[in-house]
Amino acid sequence: MANKDRNKRSVRKARAEERARVEAAQAASVTPEQKAALEKRAAKDAKLAAKQEAKAEKKDTKPGFFRRIGNYLGDVRSEMRRVVWPSKDELRTYSVAIVAMLIVFGVVIWLVDSGIVAALVGFTGLRG
């Protein structure tokens, strides 16, 4: 179940509990007619909450293809908002560091390759 559905359900549940608490506080100072109306409404709210719970439990099935794509794109958008982008100075520093490391590793690989080729030529005598 998605977090959004879980949050909606918990908010509905909290509202229902708050409504019940307020109604209980008001019940102390109500007439019998008002009390009957409140009980009727509470029963109706409980029935509605039970239906919503049952509906939420039925939704445990896998969402459709387009819904999953939409959820994915929404998550990507949310994550992109949390990204801390580097400043121009940081970007320049990182770029120089990367280019320098590429040059260093390129030279190291070239030296190792030349060494291996020289060893093979010396061992086999193929280049004459």
Side-chain angles (χ1 to χ4, degrees):
M1 180 182 308
N3 277 340
K4 194 182 277 186
D5 293 337
R6 216 174 297 137
N7 290 342
K8 284 181 183 178
R9 193 169 54 185
S10 64
V11 167
R12 279 194 304 264
K13 191 174 181 181
R15 283 185 191 147
E17 290 172 357
E18 178 65 21
R19 209 173 18 247
R21 187 186 62 75
V22 169
E23 289 173 358
Q26 290 175 345
S29 63
V30 243
T31 63
E33 295 85 26
Q34 291 173 335
K35 190 173 184 179
L38 287 174
E39 288 174 358
K40 188 175 182 182
R41 181 173 175 170
K44 186 177 178 182
D45 286 346
K47 200 182 288 186
L48 180 64
K51 282 183 183 178
Q52 289 174 344
E53 291 270 338
K55 189 176 182 182
E57 288 176 9
K58 286 182 184 178
K59 287 229 170 199
D60 286 344
T61 61
K62 189 175 181 181
F65 176 74
F66 293 109
R67 172 69 63 170
R68 284 183 283 156
I69 297 265
N71 288 343
Y72 172 75
L73 293 176
D75 290 344
V76 167
R77 185 176 182 194
S78 167
E79 288 295 325
M80 290 304 284
R81 287 183 176 153
R82 295 181 194 159
V83 171
V84 178
W85 297 101
S87 67
K88 286 185 179 183
D89 291 335
E90 290 173 331
L91 189 61
R92 190 175 299 118
T93 303
Y94 297 155
S95 298
V96 168
I98 288 171
V99 169
M101 292 305 293
L102 285 171
I103 291 170
V104 167
F105 280 109
V107 169
V108 168
I109 290 173
W110 176 70
L111 289 173
V112 169
D113 184 49
S114 297
I116 291 174
V117 168
L120 287 174
V121 166
F123 182 69
T124 60
L126 290 176
R127 282 192 193 172

